[in-house]
Amino acid sequence: MDFRGRWVMVTGASSGLGLEMARQLGRDHGANVVAVARRLERLEALKEELEPAGVQVVPVTADLTRQEEVDSAFERALDASGGLYGAVLNAGVTHFGDWRELDWDGFQRMLATNVTSVVRLSSLVLPHLIERRENGGVMLVSSMAGLAPVPYQAAYSGTKAFLVHYGCSLWHELRGEQVSLTTFAPGGIQTEMTSGDRFDALRGWLMPVDRCARSGLDGYRKRKYLHVPGVVYKVLSALNGVAPEPFASSRVAAQYRASLEALRRAKAESGS
Ligand SMILES: NC(=O)c1ccc[n+]([C@@H]2O[C@H](COP(=O)([O-])OP(=O)(O)OC[C@H]3O[C@@H](n4cnc5c(N)ncnc54)[C@H](OP(=O)(O)O)[C@@H]3O)[C@@H](O)[C@H]2O)c1
């Protein structure tokens, strides 16, 4: 793909991976960005940061758990840009901890953000890109948690597996059309999502967000089918295919359980 002077919509552009991909799309790839999220002040800060470099940024606030706001975000993106060349559907939320802690409302919000909004937006964006005949593309941000079951992020892992199957299936359906669809599956990243103390014992595994974003955009630009960033995660995902079924997940379960247990003990000792 060639992003220069073209418009790309990035959801979840207020923080973490989405913010960094939006920044790099503008700064390093010459794209103009429609930046979607709920926190307007952060989107305005991105606009202020990129505009001196000649990059146009249109902040669009939307709560992606609400279908009418998803639809209106797409409409506002079209109005402001005059037409999109791409979309990075990145917004997502997780729950890290015992499965019983995720209440029904929390699960509904996760499903709406991670799954429903992505299906809705891709259903709107893909026909638009095909009609424009510019050979644009969409990238769905899934996770390594979508490639193997991840205990202690059980619901999240399910939503991300949906994206892998959905995205990779569409890749086949879209062959021969003037559009591409890439599914990006990173492992742990240093972002707001992993900033809580439950991740304290796991920080060594987290990839710097700028490196992860660069790799993701490289996969997007090359129109990859399924892109996993970093050597360690590439090896882990390859091992997944050859190891006995529960092997990778039981390693993750042991590590996550130990991390949650260490935090519980530390809190019990300090009385907090
Ligand atoms: N961090 C990791 O270890 C990791 C690993 C693999 C994959 N991923 C995936 O990478 C993507 C980005 O995650 P991140 O780590 O960058 O997390 P993050 O720093 O928490 O950012 C999440 C982004 O999603 C947006 N968002 C969340 N709920 C939303 C809603 N209801 N409506 C609109 N926007 C919403 C947030 O914006 P507002 O709050 O401003 O609305 C924010 O910009 C997610 O899909 C995640 O699953 C993350």
Side-chain angles (χ1 to χ4, degrees), residues 43-57:
L43 303 178
E44 297 282 10
L46 177 67
K47 181 178 163 82
E48 256 175 53
E49 177 188 330
L50 291 179
E51 271 185 352
V55 176
Q56 297 181 65
V57 176

Side-chain angles (χ1 to χ4, degrees), residues 11-19 21 36-43 61-66 69 89-94 109 112-114 117 141-145 153 156 159-160 163 184-195 199 206-207 209 212:
T11 68
S14 63
S15 167
L17 184 61
L19 170 61
M21 287 194 290
V36 182
R38 289 166 301 186
R39 287 171 288 182
L40 178 61
E41 68 291 352
R42 295 208 176 190
L43 303 178
T61 51
D63 179 349
L64 297 177
T65 64
R66 303 169 68 90
E69 295 196 28
L89 304 182
N90 156 83
V93 292
T94 191
R109 277 195 303 277
T113 312
N114 295 9
S117 83
V141 178
S142 176
S143 166
M144 285 277 292
Q153 293 197 86
Y156 174 75
T159 66
K160 292 296 171 176
L163 292 187
F184 184 37
I189 321 162
Q190 293 164 8
T191 66
E192 233 173 65
M193 183 179 271
T194 53
S195 61
F199 286 92
L206 303 179
M207 189 183 240
V209 68
C212 186

Side-chain angles (χ1 to χ4, degrees), residues 8 13 19 26 29 48 53 137 145-146 156 162 171 179 208 214 235 245 252 271:
V8 180
L19 170 61
H29 295 273
E48 256 175 53
Y156 174 75
F162 176 94
W171 184 92
V179 74
R214 201 165 306 117
V235 170
E245 272 288 286
V252 174

